[in-house]
Amino acid sequence: MTTSPRTPAPAPTPPPTLLVLDAEPPPRLGRLTGRARIEHADAATLAERLPHADVLLVWDFASHAVREAWPGGGPRPRWVHTASAGVDHLMCPELAESDTVVTNARGVFDRPIAEYVAALVLAMAKDLPTTLRLQGERTWRHRESTRVAGTRACVVGSGPIGRAIASTLEALGITTALAGRTARPGVHGPEDLDRLLAGADWVVAAAPLTDDTRGMFDARRFALLRPSARFVNVGRGQLVVEDDLVEALAARRIAGAALDVLSHEPLSPDSALWEVPGLIVSPHMSGDTIGWRDELGAQFVELFESWAAGGPLANVVDKKRGYVPGH
Amino acid sequence: MTTSPRTPAPAPTPPPTLLVLDAEPPPRLGRLTGRARIEHADAATLAERLPHADVLLVWDFASHAVREAWPGGGPRPRWVHTASAGVDHLMCPELAESDTVVTNARGVFDRPIAEYVAALVLAMAKDLPTTLRLQGERTWRHRESTRVAGTRACVVGSGPIGRAIASTLEALGITTALAGRTARPGVHGPEDLDRLLAGADWVVAAAPLTDDTRGMFDARRFALLRPSARFVNVGRGQLVVEDDLVEALAARRIAGAALDVLSHEPLSPDSALWEVPGLIVSPHMSGDTIGWRDELGAQFVELFESWAAGGPLANVVDKKRGYVPGH
């Protein structure tokens, strides 16, 4: 069926305008054909198009363009969805204070990130980086490694990702404590954090980046850890004062670390972090398993269909706190 | 208390002679002081001392000296214990046919090896070797990785080590089938093996080395695997026809492999195996976590105490089959 542009459209309600922030169209949006007018924007065109959009899909979750382009009190999308767990890259005071609803990709990354953390924990316990280095040197050097069963972990961040990490580590026999913003059954509050860090063999950062969590892993907290402890960050780079971590590793105040997220991404080829002994650096890939883009697209379509039908939106972010409040 | 060597000893029963095959004394044997006359042998002196020993402790489990020194039908130890799970390094027809009892270190390595396999599986799923290589090149290159939950594994070897591997993989959400020498509840027999291999994302070799298992992973079996499958060997190097594995990797008939055990150990610096793309080589360390020598020593002392008191010996190897028959 084709419709001449000169024939007046009979539609009583024009479909909402869905603006997608990304260079490439997300998968699965074809299902919305006819139900949304889909437009695309990049960082350069976002400010111009944002006032005319009903919905903004932040598909390029590495972009900070939303913060810069958000139209203050003027016309703006009623709903913003980000294809990420964190919302720190798009939140700004004007968006936080507006009546625009923000949703996130809660749920998609939980299990993949949990597996990634397990991979890092086991790789460090079994000294796999040394094994691979020695293999490159054609050197057979037997070493003793560590058992993870019976060790203790503290996972900082009690949302779905933190909980998935905790249950995966528990499945490996690691006694795991969850620390969150407020104490509740199964979750320790901030008052317990330093004590938990002091007793942990593994410390995993999986918290959202907020004013409360920015820089929380600093020299003081690294000094609390055991010399045998290892630190893993799969949350946001800025949870960590990276210079303090480097210093803690250099002074052997902790035994090792792995950063999948960095303060500045992509990490510059000039960064000293690439070559810190005992530090594994990976390119923000912990949650991104094959098919993840399809899952994110399908999740957005599902949310859109509920929203377009006037139903409730899932995964609504508390914009002041910076995450989806959970149980 | 000191006893002059010229004072006749009153002991009605002289303590048994325990011969230890190793360059260094094992830990924990101090507990046997006064209850055993402990002697040491190396490969050069073993043949001379073996006929006078009541018990042989094969502490150097990499040595093949027992096979060469075993005194045929002459005087010989009544009991041989090896501080290893496998007994392939010491078995010979004369020992198999004698009334000498052979025991092994069943139990000590189960959980450590299971963790090591989980580390390799997760490292391959998350492409950790590439991450570490790119880190060395100061290169940030995001990649998608694989989820292990929902994949399928086939563990070949249904003893305690194979079972521990299976339960650890299951805890990670991997549907795992155990294949053994004979079908029984929870264990598939040889008739199912090829079908299981064809459906597996992960194939783990954890079988004892026997006439039945030597070279079982050959070109024919590698051809059964999926192109996406990865192969892990933590059993014995000679379970695998290494040239066939190299060929399967080169032809991309399988996606990756990890060998913790090799046909010839230590692997020579000249070996081509060090540099096969997609192959992780580690130095027979999967079961050796900190404290393992203490555990092995304590396990032997416990067996010795039971034996010296006339009690039953645990971990008795079926010498014809080459392993401890289980349930």
Side-chain angles (χ1 to χ4, degrees), chain A residues 298-316:
Chain A
Q299 181 186 49
F300 174 73
V301 167
E302 194 176 324
L303 288 170
F304 186 92
E305 287 173 344
S306 174
W307 176 82
L313 270 176
N315 297 5
V316 173

Side-chain angles (χ1 to χ4, degrees), chain A residues 111-112 115-116 118-119 122-123 126 128-129 131-132 135 138-149 168 171-172 262 265-267 269-271 274-275 279-285 288-290 292-293, chain B residues 111-112 115-116 118-119 122-123 126 128-129 131-132 135 138-149 168 171-172 262 265-267 269-271 274-275 279-285 288-290 292-293:
Chain A
R111 293 278 312 165
E115 289 186 355
Y116 198 86
L122 283 164
K126 305 305 174 186
L128 196 56
T131 293
L132 294 171
Q135 180 178 352
R138 296 173 161 265
T139 300
W140 179 278
R141 188 181 307 151
H142 180 273
R143 290 105 57 214
E144 295 180 357
S145 64
T146 315
R147 284 191 63 173
V148 302
T168 300
L172 292 169
L262 285 300
E265 297 179 5
L267 188 65
D270 301 332
S271 171
W274 292 112
E275 291 190 355
L279 177 64
I280 298 172
V281 171
S282 59
H284 200 146
M285 61 186 280
D288 307 340
T289 48
I290 290 165
W292 67 300
R293 290 175 201 272
Chain B
R111 293 277 312 164
E115 289 187 355
Y116 197 86
L122 283 164
K126 305 304 175 185
L128 197 56
T131 293
L132 294 170
Q135 180 178 354
R138 296 174 161 264
T139 299
W140 179 277
R141 187 181 306 152
H142 179 273
R143 290 107 54 214
E144 296 181 356
S145 64
T146 315
R147 284 191 63 174
V148 302
T168 300
L172 292 168
L262 286 300
E265 298 179 5
L267 188 64
D270 301 331
S271 171
W274 292 113
E275 290 189 358
L279 177 64
I280 298 172
V281 171
S282 60
H284 201 147
M285 62 187 279
D288 306 341
T289 48
I290 292 166
W292 66 300
R293 289 174 200 271

Side-chain angles (χ1 to χ4, degrees), chain A residues 44-91:
Chain A
T45 58
L46 186 66
E48 173 202 333
R49 301 198 179 168
L50 209 42
H52 313 293
D54 298 295
V55 180
L56 172 66
L57 168 57
V58 184
W59 187 256
D60 178 4
F61 52 83
S63 170
H64 288 200
V66 178
R67 269 207 305 245
E68 287 146 29
W70 191 255
R76 57 186 178 266
R78 286 172 283 158
W79 169 33
V80 174
H81 177 79
T82 178
S84 59
V87 298
D88 49 285
H89 56 298
L90 57 86
M91 291 308 293

Side-chain angles (χ1 to χ4, degrees), chain B residues 193-259:
Chain B
L193 181 58
D194 287 358
R195 177 179 60 77
L196 292 171
L197 294 177
D201 301 291
W202 310 98
V203 174
V204 182
L209 181 63
T210 67
D211 288 343
D212 285 342
T213 63
R214 190 180 310 272
M216 68 179 292
F217 292 100
D218 57 5
R220 185 185 76 77
R221 286 216 162 91
F222 289 125
L224 296 172
L225 302 191
R226 296 177 174 189
S228 58
R230 272 101 164 204
F231 175 77
V232 174
N233 188 8
V234 289
R236 281 289 183 267
Q238 291 171 63
L239 299 176
V240 177
V241 179
E242 287 166 351
D243 287 347
D244 290 358
L245 173 62
V246 170
E247 164 64 20
L249 286 166
R252 296 182 184 273
R253 274 194 287 279
I254 65 173
L259 302 179

